[in-house]
Amino acid sequence: MTPSFDLVIRNARDAAGVSLSIGIRDGKIAAAAAALEGKGPELDANGQIASPGLHDHHIHLLATAARMESVDLADCRTIDAVLAALRSNLPAPGTWVRAIGYDERVAGLPDRMLLDAWLPDHPLRMQDRTGGYWLLNSAGIAKLGAPPYPACVEHDARAQPNGRIWRGDRWLRERIGGAPPSLAALGARLAQFGVTGVTDAGASNGASEAALLAGAMPQRLVIMGQETLPAGDGYALGPLKLLLDENDLPPLATVVERIAAARRSGRHVAAHCVTLAELLFYLEALRQAGGAREGDRIEHGSVIPQSLIGDIAAAGLTVVTQANFIRDRGDRYRAQMDDSELDDLYRLGSLVRGGVRVRGGSDAPYGDPNPWVAIEAAIDRRTRSRFVIGVGEKVDRAAALALYQTATLADGAAADMMLYDWPEGAAAPAAVGLTLIGGKIVWQS
């Protein structure tokens, strides 16, 4: 009897160029072969490559969606450029202006007085390029309501808020209210890139964030967060997220106990490690908590000395890296760091050769959400000015894709897949023609 499928994809090919047809039934790959017998609705792949979809292993969904609705200052390098961007298409007086991507090289970290001069008639909240600071003018501070304020709100010599809020995203969101950003547009955009799954890496994620995220996008969802983040429908429960800041590290014993508590609840742990000090602190905390477990993660791994690669591999830790930062921030790194330090940045090839499991994430909105930007940077390690950082960290196409592909097209696997073209030597990223999640078409060019 001829098998029936919900969808048959014909005239595709695999990454090696071999002809491939795929039958999908009940949201799963039911059959995949060069010559496939079966009936059902058919789709002609026109020779495109069929492969598993991409998973962004480190993204901040609400912040990325909000960025799509914000004034983007990422390319503003002068005060005049910042002012022009902030003052373009202003809403009615008294309405918030939200800006992101501010580069501190323009005018340092502005206080409320300077921001009052930049935008006097609208409450302003402006995020710096790292995502650590929110910068508010006086009209914005007035929207915070009466004190007392938490420690994240910095004060001046007169004990008044100076306009800078450090790592206060959740408190600020709760304080000023407003509707959360729509995630539908972000989900559609990611689908165009072939992204079928995402891991939200917010350290403050709890039940309220999970309620906003679950089911809001077509992509399969993993949520990291704090101890209060419950298991739930519409997402998989990810690791406990430890947000480590070198300038304000918590007591080591506190982190050790948090890791132990995660172990008792059956969760892995993942730590923000941008600096070497943060990485060493995390490794020691893991040691004191009884050792790392396979599935524990190093987020970013921005600076990893060669001498630590063996220890990381032996511990079974996964490094979730952002090769896109070599592309987007590499020229800044070159200007600010000694040449001898550059090889330690966002390692990739040396980690893979050393036996470390490596995954890729965009860190959007602080990085480009297009995974193909990071895939290209993983292959060529070039900055925007075409300078190569870490020539020994290059990987080939297959290894670059593997950073974002954790599934297969084997029989019984979820039909989370894409069709794309990516000619050898192409100067442009791959062109995704079709994205399916659970066998359903969510994007088609």
Side-chain angles (χ1 to χ4, degrees), residues 64-193:
T64 304
R67 181 174 193 143
M68 296 172 68
E69 303 173 359
S70 303
V71 179
D72 192 345
L73 304 177
D75 293 326
C76 296
R77 295 291 181 265
T78 65
I79 291 178
D80 286 344
V82 170
L83 295 183
L86 291 176
R87 295 172 182 177
S88 64
N89 302 314
L90 283 171
T95 305
W96 277 104
V97 172
R98 186 184 193 279
I100 47 83
Y102 168 76
D103 192 323
E104 75 281 358
R105 290 177 296 178
V106 173
L109 289 173
D111 61 13
R112 63 189 295 179
M113 304 300 291
L114 181 55
L115 295 179
D116 289 348
W118 287 6
L119 202 69
D121 298 324
H122 296 76
L124 170 66
R125 63 187 191 276
M126 183 172 77
Q127 191 176 48
D128 80 319
R129 64 175 181 83
T130 71
Y133 272 105
W134 282 103
L135 309 168
L136 277 63
N137 64 0
S138 294
I141 291 172
K143 294 276 190 179
L144 299 180
Y149 303 127
C152 63
V153 179
E154 294 185 4
H155 291 77
D156 60 22
R158 299 175 298 158
Q160 298 298 312
N162 65 10
R164 302 186 190 111
I165 299 177
W166 170 250
R167 298 288 187 199
D169 298 63
R170 188 174 191 179
W171 175 82
L172 182 60
R173 184 168 62 247
E174 292 172 349
R175 194 76 174 204
I176 65 178
S182 170
L183 290 162
L186 175 59
R189 185 179 182 190
L190 292 176
Q192 293 180 34
F193 302 142

Side-chain angles (χ1 to χ4, degrees), residues 198-200 205-207 210 221-241 262 265-269 295 297:
V198 292
T199 297
D200 191 278
N205 283 337
L221 175 64
V222 179
I223 306 180
M224 295 196 289
Q226 56 186 321
E227 287 86 349
T228 59
L229 175 66
D233 294 332
Y235 64 94
L237 183 61
L240 172 70
K241 176 70 180 294
S265 64
R267 290 178 71 183
H268 296 297
V269 293
R297 299 169 32 144

